[in-house]
Amino acid sequence: MTSRIGKRFKSLLSFVLVLTLACVFTPITASAAPVKVDIGYSGSVKAIYYQGGPVRSASYSITSELITDRDEGYDVYSVRIKLDTPKLTKNGFLNTFADCKKKGRTSILDFTPVFINKNGGDLKGVKWKGGFDKENSSKLYKVKVKYNKKSYSFNWRDHCEYEYKVYVKNGVKGVYVGVAGLRNGQISSSTYSSWKQNQIDYVQAGFGSSKRGFIVAGKII
């Protein structure tokens, strides 16, 4: 029962595209690929917004609380993720969008939440629901750039919050929730489609890394 949070865009005037960049990501689980998970309830998480670009860091915090035990065989936890997005320059936005266009997409990605074990792998006996908490996130503001003589206006948030209810089957241990960042810039349209259809996991899609700092997670139980 994963929560899918979509990205939407629309044309304004003469092809002025409005995109939601930061703080719109889709939670998924699992990876058999080797990754490095940094364990902690607060700190920073890394992402590379465009191929060949610098590493950017977002600040995060994760909290969890048991709200119901033994609910039809599950313990229920309230989990909150807070994310302060990186400060990108105008060139940073432009290069990110250019990378996206080259790969056949116009909707920019940066981070995704993950529900994993301590090694970044899949979980058994765990399900969740929830997603973006608009009320407790900062307001949108616009960042304008020009690409190929066309104007684009991006919606951006400095602070984002996500809230989930996580259902853990009685007796299951080693459940972690965290955030993974892009390791090599934007992903192609075909990769994005496979990821959204759960045909590939978050590492195969381009999130997380064997290097430290690209996946962070806090233990729920």
Side-chain angles (χ1 to χ4, degrees), residues 44-99:
S44 63
V45 55
K46 300 175 181 177
I48 295 176
Y49 277 76
Y50 57 92
Q51 191 167 14
V55 174
R56 301 293 186 185
S57 294
S59 298
Y60 78 93
S61 66
I62 299 167
T63 57
S64 66
E65 179 185 6
L66 176 65
I67 55 177
T68 306
D69 59 353
R70 301 194 179 282
D71 178 9
E72 297 184 354
Y74 287 86
D75 295 333
V76 184
Y77 293 82
S78 175
V79 174
R80 179 168 291 274
I81 299 173
K82 298 181 180 181
L83 192 72
D84 291 323
T85 57
K87 305 296 182 183
L88 299 184
T89 64
K90 188 166 287 190
N91 280 340
F93 282 111
L94 178 58
N95 290 335
T96 301
F97 182 74
D99 190 31

Side-chain angles (χ1 to χ4, degrees), residues 111-182:
F111 301 95
T112 183
V114 288
F115 294 80
I116 53 177
N117 62 32
K118 66 178 181 180
N119 298 315
D122 203 357
L123 294 169
K124 305 288 187 183
V126 180
K127 55 187 180 179
W128 58 90
K129 64 180 179 181
F132 180 58
D133 183 355
K134 182 178 179 180
E135 182 177 349
N136 287 300
S137 299
S138 64
K139 292 182 179 180
L140 289 169
Y141 66 90
K142 293 186 182 298
V143 178
K144 296 180 180 180
V145 298
K146 285 189 176 181
Y147 176 72
N148 285 346
K149 298 182 180 181
K150 295 178 181 178
S151 295
Y152 297 87
S153 179
F154 299 95
N155 290 331
W156 189 261
R157 296 182 195 268
D158 290 325
H159 175 78
C160 307
E161 297 196 16
Y162 295 80
E163 187 174 21
Y164 295 93
K165 282 187 178 180
V166 182
Y167 298 77
V168 181
K169 195 171 183 178
N170 297 154
V172 171
K173 305 290 184 182
V175 178
Y176 292 77
V177 60
V179 180
L182 287 171

Side-chain angles (χ1 to χ4, degrees), residues 1-4 26-29 115 127-130 164 198:
M1 140 169 95
T2 57
S3 171
R4 300 182 178 275
T26 302
I28 58 174
T29 61
F115 294 80
K127 55 187 180 179
W128 58 90
K129 64 180 179 181
Y164 295 93
N198 293 321

Side-chain angles (χ1 to χ4, degrees), residues 21-34:
L21 301 185
C23 311
V24 180
F25 43 61
T26 302
I28 58 174
T29 61
S31 181

